[in-house]
Amino acid sequence: MRARHSTKVRTKNPLPLHATKKAIRALGVAESFRPSAKKSTLAGVVVRTDLIVDGFVFGEATVGGDDATRSVLRMFRKLRRADVNLLMLSGCIISRYNIIDLDELARLSGLPVVCLTYNESKGIEGAIRRHFKHPEERLESYRKLGRRTSILLHTGYKAFVRNARISDTDAKRVLDAFTLQGGVPEPVRLAKLVARSGSTLR
């Protein structure tokens, strides 16, 4: 695995994202893969806060690999969109423990990153140890993610959030702005649908 960048850029130095601005665009990223697949399908969908979809992109990540951070970054750069304000991820541990480094992704993309999950968890260190003969570096990457913050969305649903370069307060405002109903913001919900469709074509 590649060495991880050690400089922390999390919420202490948030980017100047105006969470109440009407024209915010988020790139939602989600994955899908079949149990026997060596690669997962990643899909990214650009959605405005008025819930207009105005872009999409595909990518892939290695199942059980260590390329998830680079894969998401490659998708963002492939779009060539200077008007995207935020990256919104459906999980940062994807493709069977392929871990996205949120701080590195925020640093290299220049954008705030919000990562969402929806279930209570006591952690996955035990699972990582069981799946890998030499788990130390992957465990270090997992621990670097830090604890999740529980956020109650305006719809009454709860999300568990990790973020980089954006405060918890602004993360909630952005998530509320993009959540039409239920607990899944539109950029992520649509990205999941597109990823599932894309994975059937492999």
Side-chain angles (χ1 to χ4, degrees):
M1 293 178 68
R2 292 191 178 185
R4 307 290 186 187
H5 193 277
S6 60
T7 302
K8 287 286 183 181
V9 292
R10 202 154 285 179
T11 57
K12 293 182 180 179
N13 297 296
L15 289 180
L17 172 69
H18 301 290
T20 58
K21 183 180 177 182
K22 292 183 178 180
I24 290 175
R25 286 174 172 84
L27 171 62
V29 178
E31 69 153 352
S32 179
F33 68 93
R34 297 181 178 181
S36 60
K38 294 183 179 180
K39 296 283 187 176
S40 65
T41 297
L42 303 182
V45 179
V46 179
V47 182
R48 301 185 331 203
T49 41
D50 58 5
L51 304 184
I52 298 295
V53 176
D54 68 353
F56 68 91
V57 63
F58 283 104
E60 64 179 21
T62 304
V63 176
D66 67 344
D67 58 351
T69 306
R70 299 189 299 277
S71 297
V72 175
L73 180 65
R74 193 176 301 119
M75 291 168 66
F76 167 64
R77 289 176 172 171
K78 186 177 178 181
L79 278 171
R80 298 181 181 274
R81 294 286 296 267
D83 57 352
V84 171
N85 307 103
L86 175 83
L87 301 180
M88 190 179 295
L89 311 181
S90 178
C92 48
I93 305 167
I94 65 172
S95 307
R96 290 186 184 153
Y97 310 107
N98 197 333
I99 298 172
I100 299 173
D101 186 329
L102 301 184
D103 290 336
E104 186 77 344
L105 181 59
R107 185 182 70 84
L108 293 175
S109 68
L111 294 178
V113 180
V114 177
C115 172
L116 298 111
T117 52
Y118 299 96
N119 299 314
E120 299 277 0
S121 173
K122 294 182 179 179
I124 62 166
E125 290 195 16
I128 290 175
R129 292 183 188 279
R130 288 193 299 272
H131 279 83
F132 299 95
K133 292 183 179 179
H134 304 287
E136 291 78 14
E137 194 168 355
R138 204 171 298 257
L139 285 169
E140 181 181 350
S141 297
Y142 170 63
R143 291 166 184 151
K144 183 181 176 183
L145 291 174
R147 297 176 63 85
R148 300 181 302 168
T149 299
S150 175
I151 290 181
L152 184 64
L153 302 175
H154 74 99
T155 55
Y157 286 77
K158 183 188 294 185
F160 296 94
V161 176
R162 292 183 175 100
N163 33 289
R165 290 198 173 189
I166 182 172
S167 68
D168 290 342
T169 299
D170 279 348
K172 174 177 167 48
R173 288 173 179 161
V174 169
L175 293 175
D176 280 342
F178 280 105
T179 304
L180 181 62
Q181 59 185 358
V184 184
E186 288 299 290
V188 167
R189 187 184 72 81
L190 294 172
K192 285 182 178 180
L193 292 174
V194 175
R196 290 192 196 112
S197 297
S199 68
T200 63
L201 300 177
R202 284 185 173 275

